[in-house]
Amino acid sequence: MLVLLPPSEGKANSGAGVPLKLESLSLPGLTAAREAVLTELVELCAGDEEKAREVLGLSEGLRGEVAKNAGLPAAGARPAGEIYTGVLYDALGLATLDTAAKRRAARSLLVFSGLWGAVRVTDRIPSYRCSMGVKLPGLGALGAHWRAPMAEVLPEAARAGLVLDLRSAAYAAAWKPKGEVAGRTATVRVLHAPTRKVVSHFNKATKGRMVRALLTAGAAPKDPAELVAVLRDLGYVVEAEAPRKAGTAWSLDVLVEEIH
């Protein structure tokens, strides 16, 4: 099982660890694309601060993120699972998983990123600010920048198992499973059952708890149909829509009664 996650806007501080080594990150086929984004981002943020803030869409209160980006090559690096914070990652609680569940997380979780493309939770990265919606002056829209290298690398990472896609729309734009991989991909929405509307906060929290439950249970569904059965066994109310044509992902709605 490969679980595709969005990153978090908020991130923990890098700390004083060993600086980033691009060549040490998982999915080495993305190294050249990562280096291109990193080089331009650092150059942008080391130059005109106001321009950098505008390009990155940062408010006045986040001005300090520009300087943080400028210092990325020398910044300490920590496991991505410690860097990413926020509602989904708080609910996932990687640090409190048992040993076996942590091993499963290291194998199966893939976090998408405007800067790194995608990383595993064990990959060591510094704290940064660069969403997938950013358009860098030289490279252009990052979603488009990542499509070609992702199309080369991600099918291999998906292997022959289930792909559980929990990404938000901006990050889903960087890689869309196609063909045979799409047929074993399940995308998930979390809906407030009484209103059947998506509410951002509990949508993220529910996805985090759901991934935690799958990891803790040692679940290994091989396809979307098995995933539906596993989630129902774990107590989730799931409505599933099988694709009407080949090469299309399954759509799953997880219904939640209470917003918390």
Side-chain angles (χ1 to χ4, degrees):
M1 178 174 66
L2 184 68
V3 183
L4 312 181
L5 297 174
S8 58
E9 286 291 324
K11 298 175 184 68
N13 291 328
S14 297
V18 175
L20 167 76
K21 294 181 180 179
L22 278 180
E23 65 275 12
S24 73
L25 298 180
S26 301
L27 309 178
L30 299 179
T31 300
R34 288 167 174 154
E35 186 170 15
V37 179
L38 179 62
T39 298
E40 183 168 352
L41 181 64
V42 170
E43 187 176 293
L44 171 70
C45 292
D48 186 331
E49 184 179 87
E50 288 304 317
K51 180 181 178 181
R53 197 159 65 87
E54 179 182 351
V55 169
L56 297 174
L58 300 177
S59 66
E60 176 65 32
L62 294 173
R63 181 180 292 273
E65 299 292 296
V66 175
K68 182 166 73 174
N69 281 348
L72 282 173
R78 294 167 58 186
E82 297 177 13
I83 291 291
Y84 294 114
T85 59
V87 175
L88 189 154
Y89 291 90
D90 287 347
L92 173 54
L94 286 169
T96 60
L97 291 172
D98 62 40
T99 301
K102 284 180 179 177
R103 285 198 296 267
R104 295 182 197 110
R107 291 194 304 267
S108 62
L109 304 188
L110 200 62
V111 185
F112 275 62
S113 162
L115 176 51
W116 316 116
V119 292
R120 299 199 182 274
V121 292
T122 50
D123 284 332
R124 300 181 66 86
I125 59 172
S127 183
Y128 67 96
R129 192 79 175 211
C130 184
S131 72
M132 191 66 80
V134 164
K135 294 182 179 180
L136 291 174
L139 292 178
L142 291 180
H145 170 75
W146 285 112
R147 279 182 203 132
M150 289 285 195
E152 291 288 329
V153 171
L154 267 293
E156 182 179 350
R159 297 182 181 176
L162 169 73
V163 178
L164 175 54
D165 191 351
L166 303 179
R167 297 173 296 167
S168 54
Y171 292 90
W175 180 59
K176 182 178 180 180
K178 295 181 179 179
E180 179 270 333
V181 179
R184 49 187 166 88
T185 297
T187 62
V188 175
R189 296 189 306 173
V190 179
L191 303 180
H192 184 215
T195 63
R196 302 193 71 80
K197 292 182 179 179
V198 175
V199 180
S200 179
H201 179 90
F202 88 91
N203 171 57
K204 294 174 183 177
T206 300
K207 286 179 177 178
R209 286 192 288 267
M210 184 172 66
V211 173
R212 182 182 178 90
L214 290 168
L215 294 172
T216 301
K222 296 180 176 61
D223 56 43
E226 284 191 21
L227 173 65
V228 172
V230 169
L231 289 175
R232 287 172 177 164
D233 287 344
L234 290 171
Y236 289 92
V237 178
V238 183
E239 294 180 353
E241 182 178 338
R244 297 180 180 178
K245 60 181 181 179
T248 305
W250 285 55
S251 297
L252 274 56
D253 286 343
V254 175
L255 305 181
V256 181
E257 292 288 338
E258 297 181 6
I259 299 176
H260 61 86

